[in-house]
Amino acid sequence: MHWLFEIFESKSDQARLVAILVSAVVAILVVLLNQWFVAKRARKELLISKIEELYVASSEYVSACRNILYSLKKEEYRSEHGYFNPPRNLVDEIGDSLSKIEMICGLYFPEINFDPDKYKIWNMEIIKAAEKGTVPPEEEGYMMHEDAWRHVRNSRATLDILCGDLMREYGR
């Protein structure tokens, strides 16, 4: 340590030492600040891409729900005893979409507390009745069908609000 004082004994050498130390501290701060901005930008870009994925998954969910309700009227999805056999690809698409929405919300937006049970296909009573082969009275069947469509519309609206809120929060 004594040799350090001997090297920087003159005032001009001490001034150079202070200038070097200040430059080093500023350089380190600039690098850290740059890294912080880069990490923040990367996180924002990641969240925006996840919001896009969430929106696509919600659109796939709603589309599959609509298609499964349309398939109720098609004879090709009825067994010989009149039971409704929902198209497996649509049932799988609904489940896959819900899983993807739940995963994205759980990993990237845990504050949302997404509840996939609200969106399950079995929340549509008409699907359950059709699978059991029960034919409800005409008015009750009509109401069940309308409730199923209401479920789809409400799901669309809820998911749109969820995605819109996330876009406003993270898209700036």
Side-chain angles (χ1 to χ4, degrees):
M1 191 69 151
H2 181 67
W3 61 271
L4 188 63
F5 291 119
E6 286 179 10
I7 294 174
F8 297 105
E9 192 172 337
S10 73
K11 294 289 181 191
S12 64
D13 290 339
Q14 290 174 0
R16 263 188 259 138
L17 175 64
V18 169
I20 290 170
L21 292 176
V22 168
S23 296
V25 168
V26 168
I28 290 170
L29 287 176
V30 166
V31 167
L32 291 175
L33 193 60
N34 185 45
Q35 187 62 32
W36 181 75
F37 280 122
V38 167
K40 188 174 178 176
R41 185 176 341 120
R43 172 108 171 114
K44 182 178 179 178
E45 289 172 2
L46 173 69
L47 292 177
I48 288 171
S49 73
K50 294 304 171 184
I51 293 168
E52 290 171 356
E53 285 182 41
L54 183 64
Y55 190 77
V56 168
S58 70
S59 293
E60 289 170 353
Y61 165 78
V62 171
S63 177
C65 285
R66 286 181 184 142
N67 288 336
I68 213 160
L69 289 176
Y70 291 139
S71 70
L72 277 170
K73 297 179 181 180
K74 296 181 180 176
E75 289 299 318
E76 65 191 87
Y77 298 114
R78 298 259 175 218
S79 71
E80 59 192 49
H81 303 293
Y83 297 110
F84 176 62
N85 295 318
R88 291 302 328 154
N89 64 324
L90 293 176
V91 174
D92 291 344
E93 189 175 333
I94 289 171
D96 293 346
S97 298
L98 283 177
S99 294
K100 188 171 187 177
I101 292 169
E102 183 178 23
M103 180 198 64
I104 291 171
C105 290
L107 288 175
Y108 300 99
F109 311 105
E111 70 276 4
I112 290 176
N113 294 324
F114 179 76
D115 182 10
D117 291 338
K118 293 180 182 177
Y119 300 90
K120 299 281 186 187
I121 189 174
W122 312 120
N123 289 334
M124 295 184 266
E125 292 293 322
I126 192 77
I127 302 291
K128 282 195 246 183
E131 278 194 318
K132 292 177 184 173
T134 58
V135 180
E138 186 174 336
E139 189 173 311
E140 185 181 335
Y142 175 78
M143 292 308 294
M144 290 169 83
H145 196 263
E146 286 300 310
D147 286 343
W149 280 106
R150 191 173 306 109
H151 170 77
V152 173
R153 285 190 302 274
N154 290 343
S155 295
R156 168 84 280 159
T158 304
L159 292 169
D160 282 350
I161 289 169
L162 179 122
C163 291
D165 289 347
L166 289 173
M167 284 188 285
R168 279 185 288 287
E169 184 175 344
Y170 296 103
R172 298 177 192 178

